[in-house]
Amino acid sequence: MSRRTEEIPQNEHKQNETEKNEHGPAAGRPDGPAKPSSERPRPARSWAEVRHLLVRLHFYAGVLVAPFLLVAALTGLAYTLTPQLDRLVYGDQLRVERVGDEVRPLAEQIAAARAAYPEGTLASVITPPGPEDTTRIVLAVPELGENQRTVFVDPYTAEVRGELTTWFGSTPLTTWLDDLHRNLHLGETGRLYSEVAASWLWVAVAGGLVLWLGRARGLRARSARGVLLPDRKAKGVRRTRSWHAATGVWLALGLLFLSATGLTWSNYGGERFGRLLDAANGNA
């Protein structure tokens, strides 16, 4: 009995030594007794799961937003150039052949426009903004719906230079660009897509920033240079990802501002924004 009693501590000692070798410093754990698995911290695994979700959201949001963003950027740029484009396309209607010395009475110009286009009723008159511009006589024609017929008259000769179907004073080209910018010429479906894409632009930008900041914090120096500038030493996919991320950081505020201002003109988001403004003005 005494011999057997002495052997038990030796076996337990060997077992403890084995556990220390398996769970000791080589395995990155303290020498003390291991905690139950349910109580062990899992920060690395938790971040990996969050990062995996953010990567998927960033990718699918980018696929959803990219076509809208490209079209919105190009059409928005073209929209800022509509005065020049209108003069190029509709120069005969918008400009006079020769600047005269005396302007004909406005009533005479209206009479000339009504004689050429008697249908409809007079809606408004837009006087020439410059000496080389024509007078615009806007007629409301029921057959045109919410559009109008604008007759262009030479203010010096009262000669009718032509007419265009306009939308609240906008030329057909400007109206076409406006529809492309708002709904991609897809009607209500395109408008809903534009609103959803503008809403998800926040997800794409915010997710990309979190992913890049987390990666830059782990792989590069914790400095503004490591976040704002691409890694020129990287090669292949890492180089492309670095340029993509650094460019996204610089454009983040602009993209968020673009999304916020675009949503104020959207169908559902714009309506709620209008109600919020009305409520704020009512409480002021």
Side-chain angles (χ1 to χ4, degrees):
M1 292 295 293
S2 61
R3 183 178 180 181
R4 183 174 181 84
T5 305
E6 294 176 356
E7 291 178 355
I8 293 175
Q10 293 179 0
N11 293 335
E12 291 178 353
H13 179 71
K14 292 180 180 180
Q15 184 177 0
N16 292 336
E17 290 293 331
T18 303
E19 292 179 355
K20 288 182 179 180
N21 293 333
E22 293 178 354
H23 304 287
R29 300 182 182 274
D31 295 337
K35 296 180 180 180
S37 59
S38 60
E39 299 179 1
R40 295 173 186 172
R42 299 165 55 190
R45 185 174 179 181
S46 299
W47 165 244
E49 294 173 351
V50 173
R51 184 179 181 278
H52 182 74
L53 175 62
L54 289 177
V55 168
R56 289 291 178 266
L57 285 176
H58 185 68
F59 173 77
Y60 289 117
V63 172
L64 173 69
V65 169
F68 158 76
L69 196 61
L70 177 62
V71 174
L74 294 178
T75 55
L77 178 62
Y79 199 81
T80 61
L81 301 175
T82 49
Q84 291 78 13
L85 294 175
D86 283 342
R87 289 184 177 275
L88 180 64
V89 178
Y90 308 111
D92 293 339
Q93 291 89 349
L94 298 177
R95 301 172 68 89
V96 299
E97 290 184 354
R98 184 179 62 86
V99 178
D101 298 329
E102 184 178 355
V103 177
R104 295 293 183 90
L106 196 58
E108 183 179 347
Q109 300 179 46
I110 296 175
R114 297 292 292 152
Y117 300 94
E119 64 277 3
T121 58
L122 181 64
S124 62
V125 177
I126 303 175
T127 56
E132 298 180 351
D133 299 319
T134 56
T135 303
R136 304 184 186 187
I137 312 298
V138 183
L139 304 176
V141 181
E143 292 78 7
L144 298 179
E146 63 178 6
N147 295 327
Q148 300 91 28
R149 171 170 290 131
T150 300
V151 183
F152 300 87
V153 180
D154 189 329
Y156 304 104
T157 63
E159 176 189 359
V160 175
R161 301 281 298 169
E163 63 86 24
L164 292 173
T165 300
T166 57
W167 182 72
F168 294 100
S170 299
T171 64
L173 176 60
T174 302
T175 304
W176 188 87
L177 288 174
D178 181 68
D179 288 338
L180 182 63
H181 185 74
R182 291 189 302 156
N183 55 37
L184 307 178
H185 286 286
L186 297 177
E188 187 64 20
T189 301
R191 187 160 187 170
L192 290 176
Y193 164 70
S194 299
E195 185 167 354
V196 171
S199 303
W200 275 82
L201 183 58
W202 289 72
V203 178
V205 173
L209 286 176
V210 173
L211 288 172
W212 177 238
L213 291 176
R215 186 177 183 84
R217 182 180 179 184
L219 299 180
R220 304 177 64 185
R222 299 182 184 181
S223 62
R225 182 181 180 86
V227 175
L228 299 177
L229 298 179
D231 186 4
R232 297 183 178 181
K233 297 181 180 180
K235 297 181 180 180
V237 177
R238 291 184 58 189
R239 180 182 179 88
T240 304
R241 181 189 302 154
S242 178
W243 278 95
H244 170 79
T247 305
V249 171
W250 283 99
L251 296 178
L253 288 179
L255 292 174
L256 293 177
F257 179 78
L258 176 68
S259 174
T261 54
L263 286 175
T264 59
W265 291 87
S266 62
N267 191 11
Y268 296 100
E271 181 180 356
R272 287 166 174 75
F273 180 75
R275 292 178 182 175
L276 182 62
L277 287 181
D278 293 339
N281 294 331
N283 295 330

